[in-house]
Amino acid sequence: MGMEWYIVRRVAWAAIVTFIIVTITWGLMTAAPNPQVQQAVTQAAMDGENPAEAEERMEAQLQLDRPLHVRFMDYVVGVYTLEWGWSNTRNQPVTAALVSALYYTVQYSVPWTILTVLIGPIVGVYSAANQYSWRDHAATGVAFFGYAIPNFFFGIILLLIFGVQLEWIPIVYQTGVPVFSVQNVIQLTIPIFVLVTGSIGAIMRVSRNEAAEYANADFVKTAKAKGVSTYRIYARHVIRPTMVPLSTTMVGYLLAIFTGSSLLVEVVFGIPGLGRTLYDAVVAQDTNLVLGSTLFFTFVATIGNLLQDLVYTVLDPRISFEDR
Amino acid sequence: MTDEPLLSVEGLTTEFDTDNGVLTAVDGIDFEIPRGETVCLVGESGSGKTVASESITRIVPTPPGEVTGSVRFDGQEITSLSESELREIRGGRIAHVFQNPQDALNHCYTVGWQIVEAVQTHEPDTSEEEARERAIELLNDVGVANAAARLDDYPHEFSGGQKQRVMIAMALVTNPDLLIADEPTTALDVTVQAQILNLLEELQEEYSMSILFVTHDLGVVAQIADHVVVMYAGKVMERGTVEEIFDDPSHPYTRALLECLPGQARSAEGIPGTLPSPIDPPDGCRFAPRCDYAVEECTAGDQPPEEPLTDTHAVSCVHYQQGYDPSTVKTEFTQEDGTVTGGVSGD
Ligand code: SF4
C-alpha cells in the first residue's frame, strides 16, 4: 500500500489527461472546416459543377459522412494505435515523419538534458557551499547571462562567429553524417551549448538557493558534529533534500525549453527535428502533421509530469501517499 | 586517570564578521570539565553559551566565525589542529547532541543510515552489517523500543523524544569521553524532558563520560550539574559547584536568575532589560545596565576580574574586590509566600 497504490493512481491519471487532450484536439478538428473538402468545393464551383454534390462526395471519400461517435471512436483508436494519418506535404505517414524528426531531435536533446541535469545542480550546490566567494559570483553571472539572452539570438551570434567567420562548423546542419562521428559532435556542439546555457541558469539558481538553505540546517550541523567531511556533507546531506524541490522545477522547466526553444534552435541551425517539422507543417497547413506533432509534445509533457511526481515521492520519504 | 581535567578552556573567544561589524559572541571565557562530571553552562538565550559549546570542536562556521584562545582536551591543545584532525575528534572523542531533534536528523535518510554513517565515519573498516548491529544495540541502550525493526524508519516516523534518543545513540557510537549537550530537552514535553535527563545520567555512568550541558533552565541544572558556569553576554559571571551556586549565589546576575525560578519573587516578570549588543558591548561589567547594585566603577574599564571565593567558587563583580562589601549584593531572597532565605535550595 502507500506508494504502489499512489503510482497506480498517478499513472491512471496521466492516461486520463492524455485522453482528455486527444478528445479536445478531435473536437477542434471536427468543428473546423476540412481543407480537403473546402478545396473540392472550390474546385467544383470553379469547374461549374454542383458544389454540394462535390462536398458530399469528398466527405464520403474521407469517411466524414459517418455518425460523430463512430468517427470519434475511430480517431481515438487511431491515436492509440499510432495511426496518425497521412502527411500531405511530406508524402509519408505522420508517424514516419515524426520518427525521422525525432531522430534528429534526440541527438541534441539527450546530451543537452544530461548536461543540464548534471551541471546545474552541481554548480548550484557548489555555489551554495562557497557562498559570496568569487566563484559563486562567477557562477551567478553565467547563470544570469544564459537566462537573459534569448536562445535564438545567442545561436545566431555563435553561428556567425564559428560558422561564418571562423568556419569551424557547417552553417547548414549536415543530415548525412553518422550519429557517432566527430563531424556530428562538432555541428551539435553549438546548438547544445546554446540550449544548456539557456536552461542551466534557472536550475543553478534554484539549486543554489535551496542548497544554501539546507547548508544551514540543523542536520548539517549534526553531520559536522559527527565528523563527516564537508564534501560528504554537501554530496549526501545537502544535495538529497535539494533535489526534492529541484526535481519539480527542473522537469517543468526542461519541458518548456524543449517545446519552445528547441523549435527556435532547430530553425536557426537548420536541424530537421520535431520543432522544425511542426514549424514547416504549420506554414504549409499540413493539418495531420500539425496535429501529430502537437499530440507528440503533449504526450512528452504528460509523461514528464508523471515522472516528476514519481521522482518527487521517491526522493522525499515524508510525503504521505494517503492524502494525495 | 589523572587529576588533570578532561577539558580546560582558557580565553576562548569567538567572533563573527558581520555586515554591521565584528560580533563577539564569546569573549575570553575560562572553564574546566573534570573527568566523569557534568558541567552546566547557564545563561539566557544570546549569552553565548551555545556558541561557546560549539567553539570547542570548532563546529561554528568559520568563516564568518573565528575562534581563538586555548582548548586543551585530555592534555592536547586542539585549537591548533587541522580541520581533518578535528573531524576525528568530532563525533569521536567529543560528541554533540543538539537542541531541536525535529531538524537535527536528515529527513531524507533512515535513522539506521545516519547511525551507520556515524560509525563508518570513525571506523571506516566496519562493515555495513556490523555497523547496523551496533546501531541496534545503541538504540536499545537509549530506550528505543523494537530497535531492529525501527532502524529503517525515517526520522518523521519518530516522536520528538524518540528522535532525541536516536541523536543520543548516534553520539554514543564511538564511546566518547565528552558529550556536549546543547539544550537537549528544551524542545520536548515536560515528562519526556525528565526521561531524557535520567537517560543522560544513566548513560554517563555506563559510558563514564563527562558532560557539558548547555541550558537556560536552572531547574535542570539543579538536577544534573556537578559544576556550574554562569554566562552573560559572552563573559563568565560566576562559577562554582552546584551547591555553591544554589546555596551561596554571589553574582547579582546569578541571584537575579534564581529569583526568576518558579516560586521566587521575580518568577512572573523575569529580569528587566535586555542583553547588550554583542557588536558594541558596554564598558565595564556587561551586566551593569540591568544590575540593581551597579556603582560608578561598574561602567568603566573591562569586566571585573574573577575574585575567588573558594577553590571552586569565583565571581566577577566589583563588590567582591578589596575595599567593597559583598553583603551589599547578598540581600535576602524573598519567596512568593514571603519566606526569606539566604539561598535557594538545590532541589
Ligand atoms: S560589577 Fe557592578 S554591575 Fe556588575 S554585577 Fe557587580 S554590581 Fe552589578
Side-chain angles (χ1 to χ4, degrees), chain B residues 251-253 285 287-288 291 293-295 298 304 316-319 329:
Chain B
H251 194 279
Y253 178 60
C285 177
F287 189 53
C291 182
Y293 309 100
V295 290
C298 298
S316 160
C317 173
V318 291
H319 289 288
V329 300

Side-chain angles (χ1 to χ4, degrees), chain A residues 24-84:
Chain A
I24 293 173
T25 25
W26 179 79
L28 289 174
M29 198 177 62
T30 313
N34 186 302
Q36 276 171 277
V37 173
Q38 287 202 303
Q39 212 183 340
V41 170
T42 321
Q43 192 69 39
M46 288 204 302
D47 294 353
E49 289 168 30
N50 184 354
E53 224 169 77
E55 183 175 355
E56 249 170 59
R57 217 174 329 116
M58 196 64 205
E59 282 185 344
Q61 193 188 328
L62 294 172
Q63 299 191 316
L64 294 178
D65 53 348
R66 298 172 304 158
L68 274 181
H69 69 273
V70 175
R71 284 164 59 194
F72 177 66
M73 281 308 294
D74 242 32
Y75 175 79
V76 170
V77 170
V79 165
Y80 286 106
T81 52
L82 292 179
E83 308 238 334
W84 290 9

Side-chain angles (χ1 to χ4, degrees), chain A residues 178-199:
Chain A
V179 178
F180 297 102
S181 64
V182 180
Q183 292 109 300
N184 201 30
V185 171
I186 291 175
Q187 67 176 356
L188 285 177
T189 304
I190 301 287
I192 291 173
F193 180 74
V194 168
L195 282 171
V196 169
T197 42
S199 59

Side-chain angles (χ1 to χ4, degrees), chain A residues 221-222 225-226 232 236-237, chain B residues 54 91 104 109 114 117 122:
Chain A
K221 192 161 80 175
T222 305
K226 271 193 321 197
R232 194 182 152 93
R236 294 305 197 99
H237 289 270
Chain B
E54 291 177 3
Y109 296 101
Q114 298 184 56
E117 182 185 42
H122 294 281

